[in-house]
Amino acid sequence: MAVGTSQTEGPSGAPSPASAGEHGTASGETLHMQLWRGDKDGGQFVEYQVPAQEGEVVLDVVHRIQASHAPDLAVRWNCKAGKCGSCSAEINGVPALMCMTRMSTLDTASPITVSPMRTFPVLRDLVTDVSFNFEVAKLIPSFTPAPPPPGGYRMQQVDVERGQEFRKCIECFLCQNVCHVIRDHEENKAHYAGPRFFVRLAELEMHPLDTLDRRAYVRERMGVGYCNITKCCTEVCPEGIHITDNAIIPLKERVVDSRYDPVAWLGRKILRRPAPMTAAEAAAHTSAATRGVSDAAR
Amino acid sequence: MPSISTSAGEIPLHEYDVIVIGAGGAGMRAAVEAIDKGCTTALICKSLLGKAHTVMAEGGVAAALGNVWPQDNWQVHFRDTMRGGKMLNNWRMAQIHAQEAPDRVLELEAWGALFDRTPDGRILQRDFGGHRYARLAHVGDRTGLEMIRTTQQRAVALGVDVYMECKIVRLLKNADGAVNGAVGFWRESGDFVAFSAKSVVLATGGVGKTWKFTSNSWECTGDGQALALWAGADAIEMECVQFHPTGMVWPMSARGLLVTEGVRGDGGVLKNSNGERFMFDYISPYFAAETADTIDEADHWYDDKVNYRRPPELLPRDEVARAINSEVKAGRGSPHGGVFLDIASRRSADFIKRRLPSMYHQFKQLADVDITTDPMEIGPTCHYIMGGVRVDADTEQTAVPGLFAAGEVAGGMHGANRLGGNSLSDLLVFGRRAGLAAAERAKGTPVDTSLEAGQVNEVVTHALSFLERDGGGTQPYDLHHDLQETMQALVGIIRTESELLEAKEKLVELGERAKKASAPGSRRFNPGWHMALDLESMLTVANCTTIAALARKESRGGHTREDYPNPDPELEKVNYVCRYRDGEYTVTPEAKPEMPSELRQLFEEEEASGGEAVAATKEGDN
Ligand SMILES: Cc1cc2nc3c(=O)[nH]c(=O)nc-3n(C[C@H](O)[C@H](O)[C@H](O)COP(=O)(O)OP(=O)(O)OC[C@H]3O[C@@H](n4cnc5c(N)ncnc54)[C@H](O)[C@@H]3O)c2cc1C
Ligand code: SF4
Ligand code: SF4
Ligand code: FES
């Protein structure tokens, strides 16, 4: 069960980290931290009061609570440097990395809520089951280069730069978390890869050495048509990847042209997958699911 | 599915040819190789797949590709590596590493990696400390991420079985004394799981979390070093720990986080609270010939590296770390106990943002410091352990049959000090070799893979004891805090006998308390419990580092003794070998393998040519 459907959802009207501006956490002040505690069967926000300390990020405060009040508080983290993408959560309802959100950017006069990502089933407290993403990763037809010419591969810097932007992805899955196609529609997970994997597919499509044509597969199995370019994913990406403009839109353009590509047929033969969804079906799903205008029927 | 009965009920048993513990660069590369050789392979890691510490590596991977300097070749790389390691390295490992690194890097490219390019479309290489030629293949400042993703995607494409967020607690052995399995638990559920295998590869990475200020991530708790020692393997060079001179010191929350050497390479200078460029006072005679002794000369070096000598800020890492330490001790430190690293007053804002984007971002976001207008506060941070499990250079086989080790967990390759960029290449070269040798063993002579239920039960019962112990015992977090304080204060950058002895005593006491640690709560994703188990590993590392540091009565590379400030030429030939026997940690000096004369000649040639290699050496990090 997604956290949001249990009794207490993060107050959606709470100020976002970004809009709250600099507040400064004066030492001596008391922080009112409301952490979501629970598991798949439900849970609630529990308030912990801890003294403010200078220069902390949200993850530090969570760790202090863990060390002093709640040794069994579950939280996932690794690098504490914004590099591994483990510590994704929703802070005052806004998806962000806990290790890169400074307390001084939050309004500490009011309680601060920290809840797990809503799109993924909660395991315990702030930790969610993100296995969906690892399953999708297995479905991506892998990089398939031509054999190297004598003297090795040559690529120009301009040609690798496009792919390099996409390869900055730290797999925090925040973009997956905000994408309404799966955030509000669990059932879409069966046929929708989500923005993280559109980034990956765009990277492969634009890789100077790759030879495989994945276009029909992208359209039919990866469900790129569901995306209606709301750009929510781009807004939360901690790596600043232009997910929609640089990955999804070009991918959609390529996919449209690919409908009768014979290589796609080969791809279909190689890759076992469920019955493809038609563009019309996709459009129906998408418009039902969203606020924006769907371009899926193009 | 087969299972084993224990006091915690039936636990599932997974059977493989090869299991690889650790999914950083080394583990991934090993797994790819084992699968490639037709072995059923499991890849086990205690965080999610793709999050291993390797993602943090920035600067690059060292390989003598010769793309920028055609003069570069494996011999030069080998020589740089040995010199950087103060000749304590296992020569054969350093040789294999230098010879095979180029192929391993090119292989990544064939798996989809996108390195930065030269104008003629080949892999670009960057200058780094201790490397005579520009040698580091890189992707901006996120080379580790590129390496993780590339090997991860390759392993997934080959169909590896991944067990993530699964922590291995102990290795298992068969009646022949060979390692043939492991017991772990799922962090999520707390349920136990057993693996049986013909070969086990350890690739669990480093130990940084044993110290208070570290650039290392959460999982660097020395599990592999401990697992191997407990299973009867040897560990060498455990005293050689690298403290990187420039870690963040403020805010507290970011303390230890790495500040790349690029800041100094691009013109940043170190200043004390009086505003003095103090590094000019710390030029040791060994480096005097190639180091600028006036500010004027140092400042010209950035534009003319031929006619000017390099600034003392770019002295080797251990030298700079010690200098910073002395300034702080002398009361000339910055407000938060470091010194100042100033690039703001020396380069334009545009230049800084273009050359050091991630540093600009890191300070802006975490410290609210704009490095284009203000100096950074920095100080030494625990970065890397050169020492580790002793392995055969060609096969990465440890002293225990069936057990292989590669990557930061293994020792020997880097001697007393690691050069920047040589770790990522180490992961690939020896990860592959470990996977290969593990596969050969699995395909070769039959191995008894039956697990002994009694051994498994013992592990499970022990692990659960922390949960069952109510109240009374110490909190694991408090113990971790005390351990870090002890190691930071007494077994840090500068060591001395009295402090090491004090540390040894404290560790005994901490060990006793850790045995009685209690982690209340359920088994489901209980970080307090995980910490109690990680602590066992960290304590093992702490004990070995301390006794080996006591034993090595000289200063060499990452091991500095205030009471023995100079290197002892005789000790260049000696490994201090740590073992765990009957509940005790021991250390024994043993002769190192001797370098053959054709390789020794490389060093003689260099001396004959006036040691210009040293002059071209610039300090680097990462
Ligand atoms: C900030 C920073 C920058 C660096 N930059 C560079 C650089 O530019 N160039 C360079 O060459 N080197 C660099 N290094 C060093 C280099 O990154 C590391 O030495 C290297 O990544 C270690 O890789 P590894 O594969 O041995 O282990 P790791 O990447 O540490 O992986 C260890 C794996 O083991 C798993 N594991 C550990 N214990 C257990 C257990 N008990 N059970 C199950 N799984 C377990 C972990 O989950 C993880 O998957 C840098 C280091 C730091 C800290
Ligand atoms: S732009 Fe597309 S992928 Fe991104 S959040 Fe919106 S619908 Fe999802
Ligand atoms: S694309 Fe950006 S938001 Fe999405 S997983 Fe990658 S880093 Fe995170
Ligand atoms: S802990 Fe790695 S991104 Fe936050």
Side-chain angles (χ1 to χ4, degrees):
Chain A
M1 182 185 42
V3 179
T5 56
S6 76
Q7 65 263 48
T8 40
E9 146 97 274
S12 51
S16 77
S19 66
E22 282 291 314
H23 291 271
T25 34
S27 294
E29 190 189 342
T30 300
L31 299 170
H32 298 263
M33 300 296 292
Q34 300 190 340
L35 310 186
W36 197 88
R37 305 277 332 246
D39 56 25
K40 64 178 181 3
D41 302 321
Q44 66 282 314
F45 283 104
V46 176
E47 180 160 316
Y48 299 93
Q49 299 188 0
V50 286
Q53 282 180 12
E54 210 186 0
E56 287 191 317
V57 293
V58 171
L59 186 60
D60 291 312
V61 180
V62 170
H63 279 155
R64 278 203 285 133
I65 292 170
Q66 201 179 45
S68 54
H69 298 70
D72 64 339
L73 169 70
V75 53
R76 192 184 266 138
W77 67 288
N78 213 354
C79 67
K80 213 171 156 292
K83 289 187 174 153
C84 73
S86 300
C87 65
S88 307
E90 302 193 359
I91 301 161
N92 284 342
V94 179
L97 298 176
M98 283 184 270
C99 73
M100 295 305 276
T101 306
R102 297 182 69 213
M103 290 304 293
S104 62
T105 61
L106 302 169
D107 175 9
T108 46
S110 325
I112 292 163
T113 64
V114 184
S115 49
M117 287 193 284
R118 203 184 81 187
T119 299
F120 306 110
V122 72
L123 288 172
R124 219 168 80 80
D125 305 339
L126 302 176
V127 177
T128 56
D129 176 359
V130 290
S131 57
F132 164 71
N133 301 291
F134 292 99
E135 292 307 317
V136 177
K138 289 187 201 160
L139 299 174
I140 307 281
S142 59
F143 174 64
T144 313
Y153 294 118
R154 297 279 175 113
M155 290 182 262
Q156 293 306 312
Q157 184 65 29
V158 285
D159 297 325
V160 300
E161 265 164 17
R162 282 191 301 184
Q164 285 183 334
E165 178 190 3
F166 303 142
R167 290 179 73 85
K168 286 196 308 198
C169 171
I170 56 172
E171 298 203 326
C172 64
F173 308 129
L174 284 170
C175 57
Q176 304 284 84
N177 178 46
V178 292
C179 181
H180 62 91
V181 179
I182 43 178
R183 187 174 173 99
D184 303 326
H185 295 271
E186 179 69 29
E187 69 282 5
N188 283 345
K189 283 185 184 164
H191 42 246
Y192 183 73
R196 155 58 187 134
F197 296 98
F198 298 147
V199 167
R200 168 75 175 135
L201 288 160
E203 173 216 320
L204 287 164
E205 279 293 300
M206 298 178 202
H207 196 297
L209 304 179
D210 187 68
T211 58
L212 199 66
D213 186 341
R214 299 170 185 75
R215 290 177 296 174
Y217 188 70
V218 169
R219 180 167 53 84
E220 293 168 8
R221 175 60 186 91
M222 301 279 98
V224 73
Y226 281 89
C227 159
N228 57 340
I229 326 259
T230 58
K231 299 205 177 186
C232 314
C233 50
T234 305
E235 278 165 29
V236 297
C237 178
E239 286 295 309
I241 299 170
H242 298 92
I243 305 176
T244 32
D245 289 358
N246 291 355
I248 299 181
I249 293 173
L251 203 58
K252 277 172 171 276
E253 282 164 3
R254 287 180 188 229
V255 163
V256 166
D257 304 338
S258 78
R259 221 154 275 182
Y260 302 109
D261 195 314
V263 185
W265 173 84
L266 184 67
R268 196 172 298 141
K269 272 188 72 174
I270 297 168
L271 302 149
R272 278 174 290 121
R273 54 169 188 262
M277 171 169 312
T278 64
E281 276 172 354
H285 265 277
T286 315
S287 48
T290 63
R291 333 148 224 198
V293 181
S294 169
D295 69 340
R298 282 199 290 164
Chain B
M1 159 164 324
S3 65
I4 300 176
S5 18
T6 71
S7 60
E10 290 287 313
I11 70 169
L13 167 66
H14 299 278
E15 296 167 312
Y16 285 96
D17 292 333
V18 176
I19 65 171
V20 178
I21 307 171
M28 299 258 211
R29 188 62 190 82
V32 164
E33 195 65 19
I35 300 170
D36 230 29
K37 294 290 167 292
C39 290
T40 58
T41 306
L43 183 60
I44 308 164
C45 49
K46 67 177 181 176
S47 49
L48 291 173
L49 186 65
K51 310 291 182 203
H53 175 66
T54 299
V55 297
M56 296 184 80
E58 295 165 353
V61 41
L65 291 160
N67 289 354
V68 174
W69 292 89
Q71 300 92 319
D72 200 11
N73 56 38
W74 77 259
Q75 285 92 342
V76 188
H77 192 183
F78 165 76
R79 195 170 62 189
D80 291 349
T81 301
M82 292 292 302
R83 284 193 53 107
K86 310 281 147 86
M87 304 304 280
L88 199 58
N89 323 48
N90 174 307
W91 67 265
R92 177 65 184 148
M93 289 180 90
Q95 180 189 30
I96 292 174
H97 167 261
Q99 287 172 331
E100 296 181 1
D103 283 348
R104 298 287 79 76
V105 170
L106 292 172
E107 184 175 75
L108 288 184
E109 189 162 71
W111 296 348
L114 289 173
F115 290 103
D116 288 349
R117 317 306 297 180
T118 61
D120 65 348
R122 293 187 296 169
I123 294 175
L124 180 62
Q125 299 183 270
R126 81 161 35 128
D127 260 316
F128 235 64
H131 293 282
R132 177 163 184 188
Y133 299 112
R135 188 177 282 146
L136 271 69
H138 60 278
V139 185
D141 50 14
R142 52 166 195 85
T143 315
L145 174 64
E146 186 72 7
M147 209 163 105
I148 278 274
R149 225 34 110 229
T150 306
T151 48
Q152 173 184 356
Q153 285 160 353
R154 178 72 181 173
V156 168
L158 292 175
V160 67
D161 286 351
V162 183
Y163 295 80
M164 43 182 133
E165 299 201 314
C166 177
K167 167 164 164 132
I168 297 299
V169 184
R170 289 290 187 280
L171 301 174
L172 303 169
K173 286 164 95 171
N174 64 19
D176 309 326
V179 165
N180 71 339
V183 184
F185 66 90
W186 296 103
R187 282 159 42 81
E188 174 208 330
S189 62
D191 292 339
F192 288 89
V193 51
F195 298 87
S196 75
K198 294 169 186 158
S199 310
V200 175
V201 179
L202 279 177
T204 50
V207 305
K209 285 291 166 192
T210 312
W211 279 264
K212 188 171 172 195
F213 303 129
T214 175
S215 62
N216 287 193
S217 69
W218 158 84
E219 26 176 34
C220 300
T221 54
D223 289 2
Q225 288 84 348
L227 290 171
L229 281 159
W230 297 333
D234 306 340
I236 53 173
E237 268 105 74
M238 291 299 284
E239 67 279 17
C240 297
V241 178
Q242 186 167 71
F243 286 84
H244 194 289
T246 60
M248 286 176 79
V249 295
W250 189 89
M252 211 43 199
S253 93
R255 183 137 193 175
L257 210 64
L258 196 73
V259 178
T260 177
E261 169 261 350
V263 177
R264 281 173 288 142
D266 282 340
V269 294
L270 295 167
K271 290 180 182 167
N272 61 21
S273 57
N274 301 332
E276 294 152 355
R277 273 180 77 173
F278 59 84
M279 280 309 299
F280 288 97
D281 305 335
Y282 293 91
I283 304 170
S284 64
Y286 189 71
F287 294 103
E290 77 244 29
T291 309
D293 49 16
T294 65
I295 291 184
D296 189 55
E297 180 179 8
D299 284 349
H300 275 97
W301 174 87
Y302 298 100
D303 302 319
D304 181 354
K305 295 184 168 110
V306 177
N307 292 311
Y308 295 91
R309 294 175 298 176
R310 14 171 223 158
E313 278 85 3
L314 293 170
L315 279 168
R317 195 174 304 187
D318 44 340
E319 311 270 330
V320 181
R322 278 192 295 268
I324 294 171
N325 211 56
S326 307
E327 285 297 303
V328 175
K329 270 198 176 162
R332 293 188 292 271
S334 66
H336 300 95
V339 295
F340 296 105
L341 173 58
D342 172 25
I343 191 164
S345 73
R346 299 175 48 86
R347 296 288 181 267
S348 74
D350 276 353
F351 177 92
I352 298 168
K353 283 189 202 164
R354 183 163 43 82
R355 299 280 298 203
L356 303 160
S358 74
M359 283 304 118
Y360 175 73
H361 188 72
Q362 179 172 317
F363 275 87
K364 194 81 197 139
Q365 199 151 0
L366 294 176
D368 202 22
V369 166
D370 181 347
I371 67 168
T372 67
T373 55
D374 293 303
M376 297 161 247
E377 269 189 77
I378 57 90
T381 180
C382 178
H383 189 57
Y384 185 88
I385 183 152
M386 272 68 72
V389 183
R390 176 150 78 173
V391 293
D392 170 70
D394 289 79
T395 62
E396 312 345 299
Q397 157 97 50
T398 67
V400 185
L403 184 64
F404 302 80
E408 193 168 340
V409 68
M413 160 66 205
H414 304 285
N417 177 48
R418 175 181 67 89
L419 294 186
N422 267 1
S423 169
L424 292 185
S425 41
D426 163 3
L427 309 184
L428 295 171
V429 168
F430 296 108
R432 173 183 158 277
R433 278 180 169 263
L436 188 64
E440 273 166 10
R441 175 179 162 90
K443 295 275 167 200
T445 48
V447 176
D448 171 10
T449 56
S450 58
L451 300 186
E452 203 198 297
Q455 272 185 51
V456 178
N457 190 45
E458 207 176 297
V459 179
V460 170
T461 311
H462 167 73
L464 286 176
S465 67
F466 297 102
L467 283 170
E468 283 150 10
R469 201 169 292 125
D470 50 351
T474 324
Q475 253 238 45
Y477 297 106
D478 294 342
L479 281 166
H480 185 213
H481 177 262
D482 292 354
L483 173 64
Q484 289 184 321
E485 293 283 349
T486 303
M487 294 306 283
Q488 191 74 33
L490 304 175
V491 197
I493 308 175
I494 317 276
R495 298 149 180 188
T496 186
E497 181 156 298
S498 56
E499 291 184 350
L500 289 169
L501 287 170
E502 191 185 334
K504 205 175 156 190
E505 244 168 70
K506 285 218 163 139
L507 288 173
V508 172
E509 177 217 315
L510 279 168
E512 286 308 314
R513 281 165 65 204
K515 279 189 200 147
K516 290 184 253 134
S518 82
S522 85
R523 265 158 73 175
R524 295 190 70 84
F525 217 114
N526 182 342
W529 183 40
H530 304 166
M531 174 60 81
L533 291 162
D534 287 346
L535 255 175
E536 298 188 305
S537 311
M538 288 188 273
L539 277 163
T540 298
V541 169
N543 273 293
C544 290
T545 299
T546 306
I547 57 175
L550 265 170
R552 189 173 280 281
K553 295 189 186 338
E554 64 161 349
S555 292
R556 184 181 293 275
H559 170 65
T560 305
R561 286 282 300 257
E562 202 169 22
D563 40 358
Y564 300 94
N566 298 311
D568 174 346
E570 280 310 302
L571 293 182
E572 181 185 307
K573 304 175 194 145
V574 175
N575 284 139
Y576 284 94
V577 185
C578 291
R579 295 192 177 87
Y580 181 71
R581 297 284 185 271
D582 307 319
E584 296 287 328
Y585 298 97
T586 64
V587 61
T588 323
E590 288 179 23
K592 280 176 54 200
E594 214 173 304
M595 201 190 302
S597 61
E598 70 270 19
L599 289 179
R600 189 158 286 283
Q601 228 173 346
L602 290 172
F603 298 89
E604 283 150 17
E605 279 164 19
E606 179 196 44
E607 263 152 43
S609 70
E612 92 283 32
V614 185
T617 293
K618 166 175 116 127
E619 170 55 4
D621 66 344
N622 296 5

